[in-house]
Amino acid sequence: MPAGDHNGVAGHSRSRFKRPTTLRIRTKLALMLLIPLLALTGIASVRLADSAQEAASAARIFDMVQLNGDITNVIRALQHERSQAAIQVYRQDMDLSSSTGGLEEAVASSDAFLETLRSTREDFTADDEIIALLELADKPLSRLNVVRDAAEGTLSTVHLTVYNAAVSRLSAVIERSVDLADTADLSRSLRAVSLLTTADESSERLRVLTLELEDGKPLDAAYRPFMALNAARDLALEEYRRISADGHLATTFEYGGLGSQEARPANTFERSVSTSRSNEPMRVDHTALMGAYDARHDATGTVINTLLDQTVERTEVIQDGVFQRVTIEVATVLVTLALAVLIALWLGRSVTLGLRRLRESAHRIATRELPTAVRQVDEHEDLAGLTPEEFADQTTPR
């Protein structure tokens, strides 16, 4: 490019950006008022962005707690269906009144809760890891139909492991929720729900294992898994008692543990196994034990539901508080900006109005009054017919 063209382009570029000294006074005033207004807008935007993130976090926690409630319902339904399926497997070896109707009702209940969970999952986007854990749970859940088809006559112990896998993977979602809670109270409540779910699952698997045992026979191969499940349940309950000891959790156990008096046969049987050897014969009253496990299961479910209800109430209070604060902040920012704009316009108008009057006065003097005065002087008006020099000589003191 020729040098002349280059200089021409540079000159054109410079002409697009006026120097501050060449700006009109009104423009300078507008810029002076605009700068603090922009600063105020920036500060308000940062604050509103933080509040919006907090509101989104509160909404995610609320959705997560609602999801945990649906998962808990599914887990309990699957546990009940598993116990009914186990009775179908072992009913020939024990004196238990059972029919396929109990299993059919359990299957219908499980399907209803699973449908509710599917509906909740469609709208859940709060955490990718929870979504991934739910997808892992889909595999054993999809195999439930195989187990249910086998209930017609080929149901066996191996089919019950499908329920174990499904409950285990759904329980992992509740454990993950503990890490996502953003307050100590919510974390403690969700942790309590997770611990009680673990304890209840151990108890329900002990129920199934008990159905395998024969009255008056030693546990043999069932001894080690029985002890492991019993230890896992005791560990979860001990941790629950520890975190609820400070009084933050409103729900505590009655004296005697979950299920209290009605669950005593199960507690007594588990203590007997714990203090015995694998080759010692054990007295197994299946009817009494099933009633005791039912009582313990129901009592645990009541505590879990109470904790979930309390957690939902806490999340609703937090969510409402955050949304209320965001609303107030938005209204405050809008009112402040509106007042700032009005004040800026008022100040700008008052200043520019004064400048306009000054300009009009200067224009009037320059175009009308000054020429008139000069003409009058030139025409010797108001000088008594004297020339300016003569008038000055006569009026100047000597």
Side-chain angles (χ1 to χ4, degrees):
M1 179 182 294
D5 294 342
H6 178 76
N7 292 335
V9 173
H12 176 70
S13 176
R14 286 194 297 270
S15 65
R16 296 175 56 187
F17 301 97
K18 295 182 178 181
R19 295 179 180 179
T21 55
T22 63
L23 295 176
R24 300 175 63 181
I25 295 179
R26 181 185 299 178
T27 305
K28 292 180 180 179
L29 286 173
L31 290 175
M32 291 174 61
L33 295 173
L34 181 62
I35 290 174
L37 187 61
L38 290 176
L40 175 62
T41 304
I43 295 173
S45 299
V46 172
R47 177 56 187 165
L48 288 178
D50 292 340
S51 297
Q53 290 181 354
E54 189 175 353
S57 176
R60 287 194 298 270
I61 296 297
F62 181 79
D63 292 342
M64 182 186 65
V65 173
Q66 295 281 28
L67 180 69
N68 281 350
D70 292 339
I71 289 175
T72 301
N73 290 333
V74 170
I75 288 176
R76 291 182 59 78
L78 292 177
Q79 288 171 337
H80 180 59
E81 182 179 339
R82 178 180 55 194
S83 66
Q84 292 298 315
I87 291 175
Q88 295 296 322
V89 174
Y90 302 113
R91 62 179 175 176
Q92 295 180 352
D93 300 328
M94 62 194 72
D95 184 18
L96 284 177
S97 58
S98 175
S99 64
T100 57
L103 181 57
E104 291 174 355
E105 293 176 0
V107 168
S109 177
S110 297
D111 287 341
F113 286 119
L114 282 169
E115 185 60 33
T116 301
L117 178 59
R118 291 189 191 98
S119 178
T120 304
R121 287 177 59 179
E122 292 177 357
D123 300 326
F124 184 82
T125 58
D127 183 67
D128 292 337
E129 187 170 340
I130 285 182
I131 294 174
L133 290 172
L134 288 171
E135 291 174 351
L136 287 176
D138 287 338
K139 185 175 181 180
L141 289 174
S142 64
R143 294 163 55 191
L144 286 177
N145 289 332
V146 177
V147 178
R148 293 165 178 176
D149 292 339
E152 299 297 331
T154 60
L155 191 63
S156 63
T157 304
V158 69
H159 291 102
L160 303 180
T161 60
V162 174
Y163 297 101
N164 299 347
V167 171
S168 176
R169 294 184 182 184
L170 289 173
S171 298
V173 176
I174 302 178
E175 294 176 6
R176 167 61 182 168
S177 300
V178 178
D179 299 330
L180 298 179
D182 55 0
T183 67
D185 286 342
L186 289 179
S187 178
R188 187 183 292 108
S189 296
L190 292 175
R191 176 61 175 162
V193 171
S194 177
L195 290 170
L196 290 178
T197 301
T198 299
D200 193 41
E201 173 61 7
S202 297
S203 177
E204 288 301 288
R205 291 179 68 177
L206 282 170
R207 177 209 293 265
V208 174
L209 191 58
T210 301
L211 289 172
E212 299 181 25
L213 304 178
E214 297 183 40
D215 186 22
K217 300 290 183 66
L219 272 65
D220 293 334
Y223 181 80
R224 185 166 295 178
F226 193 101
M227 294 295 294
L229 289 172
N230 196 33
R233 178 177 181 272
D234 289 343
L235 183 64
L237 291 179
E238 182 62 29
E239 178 66 12
Y240 173 80
R241 291 186 178 93
R242 186 186 67 80
I243 66 174
S244 62
D246 56 5
H248 284 85
L249 298 178
T251 305
T252 55
F253 298 145
E254 298 177 0
Y255 178 78
L258 289 168
S260 190
Q261 194 71 22
E262 296 176 349
R264 179 166 294 182
N267 298 332
T268 302
F269 178 71
E270 290 165 2
R271 284 196 298 270
S272 299
V273 173
S274 299
T275 57
S276 65
R277 293 190 295 269
S278 61
N279 58 354
E280 290 184 15
M282 295 298 302
R283 177 81 175 99
V284 183
D285 185 347
H286 292 99
T287 301
L289 288 174
M290 291 305 103
Y293 281 115
D294 283 339
R296 197 156 73 180
H297 181 60
D298 293 340
T300 308
T302 300
V303 177
I304 291 175
N305 290 337
T306 302
L307 287 170
L308 284 173
D309 290 342
Q310 294 171 350
T311 306
V312 169
E313 291 177 0
R314 289 193 186 99
T315 55
E316 287 177 342
V317 170
I318 293 174
Q319 191 177 35
D320 292 343
V322 171
F323 287 157
Q324 184 179 8
R325 187 172 69 252
V326 170
T327 302
I328 294 174
E329 289 177 353
V330 169
T332 302
V333 168
L334 292 177
V335 171
T336 303
L337 290 178
L339 290 175
V341 170
L342 292 175
I343 293 173
L345 291 175
W346 178 75
L347 289 175
R349 181 177 178 83
S350 62
V351 172
T352 55
L353 182 59
L355 292 175
R356 186 182 300 114
R357 291 174 178 173
L358 179 62
R359 184 186 63 183
E360 292 174 351
S361 299
H363 183 269
R364 185 177 65 254
I365 292 172
T367 60
R368 292 165 51 188
E369 296 179 0
L370 182 60
T372 300
V374 172
R375 187 175 62 253
Q376 290 175 350
V377 171
D378 290 340
E379 295 175 355
H380 300 175
E381 294 180 6
D382 299 331
L383 297 181
L386 301 175
T387 65
E389 292 79 3
E390 294 173 343
F391 181 80
D393 290 338
Q394 293 184 12
T395 58
T396 302
R398 296 184 183 276

